[in-house]
Amino acid sequence: MASQSCQRGPENAHMHPKGPCCSALCFLCSLGSSPHGSSLGPLRKCGRRSKPVQSSPEGSRVAEWPDGLLSLLLLLWSLLPSAGGLELEMAGTTQIVFLHEDVTIPCKILGSLHLDLSIVGVIWSLKKDGDESEVFKFYGDQLEAVRPGANVSLLGLEHGDASLYLPRFELWEAGEYQCKVVVTPEKKEGTTRLEVVAHPNMSLSEKPATARGGKEKLIICQLDGFYPEALDIKWMGSALKDSHFQEITEGVVTGPTVKNDDGTFSVTSSLALKPALEDHMYQCVVWHRSWLMPQSLNVTVFENTRDSTHGTVPPTAEVGPPVSEPRSVMIYVTIIGLCILLFSVIVCGLWKWKRLTTSNTGLCLRLDVRC
């Protein structure tokens, strides 16, 4: 296919020079000349030679398209129906990604051992709130990253892997991603929805309360930087003697969720402690979508009944599942394990010593010497 104009040679004189071919090619020329490569851009008149595609403001690598090759690929994409022989494998209907982490959206061409990239085209686009915008484009050995950092490995594409790499994923990038692939003369597209989550940053702190002459104190559970907004906080308490945790509702105050400047959320929950006759452990237990199981922070409060003063152990730094088993059981299991290990070492040592003694006695008898 020549790119000089839409005029046909004598061998194709039966076709109208301003027929469907010219309309399609002019449409494709406008597609290539649009600043963003969008098919919604205004049409322009086709000249004798394709114009170079302008590079994006982000400085992505875009060179002049080879004559006729881009037009051929896009013409096949826009005019040919989807062929049944080309199949794509996507990640599924929904893919959960973490805020500010690098993301790879799978899109693989099934049954492809080696592809000729000169007849392959790939378009990744994002559809959100009814609008569709291009993220990455590749045609005939030429690529353009509309979204800064977006990339499809050409080495992987040769083996049928058109997966999209996006560094440092942001909240506003969540939505439906479309992978459109053309391997002349077939085309196929698949979709995957990306949802963003962010772990809550948990911390426990303590400050005196104003009631009862300052003998009460507050334990404050601060959660920051989480997304989405939905979150559940519970307080659990247990006396150190029995280690049986129960939910605490009295004295609990959870404030409203606040939206941060970066789109994440923060919330604070507090527990008012009254003077008690025995030591207690308290937990701030949190459920959030970014975790597979609820996480907690623990703090131990020691009560001195003689002078009615409080002593508090700093909260544990490790975030993990809520404590549910008595500590005494863990101690017993550890002691038993150490005893078994020590017994095994002693038995092994006696066996080796006996074996060595028997060996030396036999050697002395053979040599007729006194050992």
Side-chain angles (χ1 to χ4, degrees):
M1 179 182 294
S3 60
Q4 293 179 349
S5 70
C6 294
Q7 298 292 335
R8 298 284 182 173
E11 67 277 11
N12 297 321
H14 62 281
M15 298 186 65
H16 196 280
K18 295 183 178 181
C21 173
C22 187
S23 300
L25 289 180
C26 290
F27 169 77
L28 295 173
C29 290
S30 68
L31 177 63
S33 63
S34 175
H36 302 290
S38 172
S39 60
L40 301 179
L43 297 176
R44 67 175 178 83
K45 185 176 180 181
C46 298
R48 289 184 56 84
R49 185 175 179 84
S50 301
K51 293 185 178 181
V53 179
Q54 300 296 324
S55 60
S56 62
E58 293 79 15
S60 55
R61 179 175 64 87
V62 183
E64 181 179 354
W65 305 111
D67 285 346
L69 181 57
L70 175 60
S71 298
L72 174 62
L73 290 173
L74 292 180
L75 180 62
L76 289 171
W77 176 264
S78 59
L79 298 182
L80 289 179
S82 297
L86 187 62
E87 295 294 334
L88 297 182
E89 182 182 59
M90 303 290 289
T93 56
T94 303
Q95 181 178 350
I96 304 298
V97 299
F98 290 95
L99 180 64
H100 298 156
E101 291 191 3
D102 299 345
V103 175
T104 298
I105 311 175
C107 179
K108 296 184 179 180
I109 307 171
L110 298 180
S112 300
L113 298 178
H114 189 276
L115 294 175
D116 181 4
L117 296 187
S118 63
I119 61 170
V120 175
V122 177
I123 296 179
W124 276 96
S125 60
L126 169 60
K127 189 175 182 180
K128 184 174 182 179
D129 299 330
D131 297 329
E132 185 174 351
S133 58
E134 291 181 348
V135 178
F136 178 88
K137 299 184 294 182
F138 171 81
Y139 293 105
D141 294 333
Q142 307 297 327
L143 58 84
E144 178 182 1
V146 182
R147 189 271 200 194
N151 186 45
V152 171
S153 171
L154 298 185
L155 180 61
L157 187 58
E158 289 182 351
H159 296 84
D161 189 357
S163 301
L164 177 66
Y165 171 77
L166 298 173
R168 194 170 174 79
F169 201 81
E170 300 292 343
L171 287 176
W172 61 268
E173 296 183 280
E176 185 179 78
Y177 281 79
Q178 291 184 329
C179 175
K180 304 175 183 178
V181 177
V182 54
V183 180
T184 309
E186 300 176 349
K187 70 173 183 177
K188 195 73 174 181
E189 67 179 60
T191 60
T192 296
R193 174 169 293 276
L194 265 61
E195 296 186 5
V196 188
V197 296
H199 295 308
N201 297 317
M202 298 181 61
S203 64
L204 277 182
S205 59
E206 172 195 344
K207 70 176 184 179
T210 57
R212 294 183 179 270
K215 294 182 179 181
E216 285 192 352
K217 60 176 56 178
L218 292 176
I219 299 179
I220 301 174
C221 186
Q222 175 70 39
L223 305 171
D224 183 52
F226 59 89
Y227 189 91
E229 182 179 1
L231 188 98
D232 187 28
I233 304 175
K234 286 185 178 180
W235 286 93
M236 308 290 290
S238 169
L240 293 183
K241 294 181 179 180
D242 56 19
S243 298
H244 180 66
F245 282 86
Q246 294 181 346
E247 183 179 354
I248 302 174
T249 56
E250 184 180 357
V252 175
V253 177
T254 300
T257 303
V258 179
K259 190 173 184 179
N260 302 324
D261 294 337
D262 61 355
T264 60
F265 297 92
S266 299
V267 68
T268 300
S269 181
S270 63
L271 172 63
L273 300 181
K274 296 180 179 180
L277 299 178
E278 55 184 340
D279 304 334
H280 282 76
M281 176 180 287
Y282 300 95
Q283 290 182 339
C284 176
V285 185
V286 179
W287 283 262
H288 190 256
R289 188 177 181 184
S290 61
W291 288 323
L292 296 178
M293 61 179 62
Q295 307 292 300
S296 69
L297 282 180
N298 308 327
V299 61
T300 303
V301 177
F302 295 101
E303 302 290 345
N304 190 335
T305 58
R306 293 182 180 179
D307 55 9
S308 300
T309 58
H310 293 60
T312 305
V313 174
T316 56
E318 181 180 0
V319 178
V323 176
S324 59
E325 295 294 335
R327 292 188 174 183
S328 57
V329 176
M330 298 179 63
I331 295 175
Y332 293 150
V333 172
T334 303
I335 294 175
I336 293 174
L338 291 176
C339 291
I340 293 175
L341 179 61
L342 180 60
F343 178 76
S344 300
V345 172
I346 293 175
V347 172
C348 183
L350 290 175
W351 178 78
K352 288 186 176 181
W353 176 80
K354 184 177 180 180
R355 185 178 178 183
L356 180 61
T357 303
T358 303
S359 177
N360 291 338
T361 303
L363 180 61
C364 292
L365 291 175
R366 286 195 300 268
L367 297 177
D368 195 18
V369 297
R370 193 175 188 181
C371 294

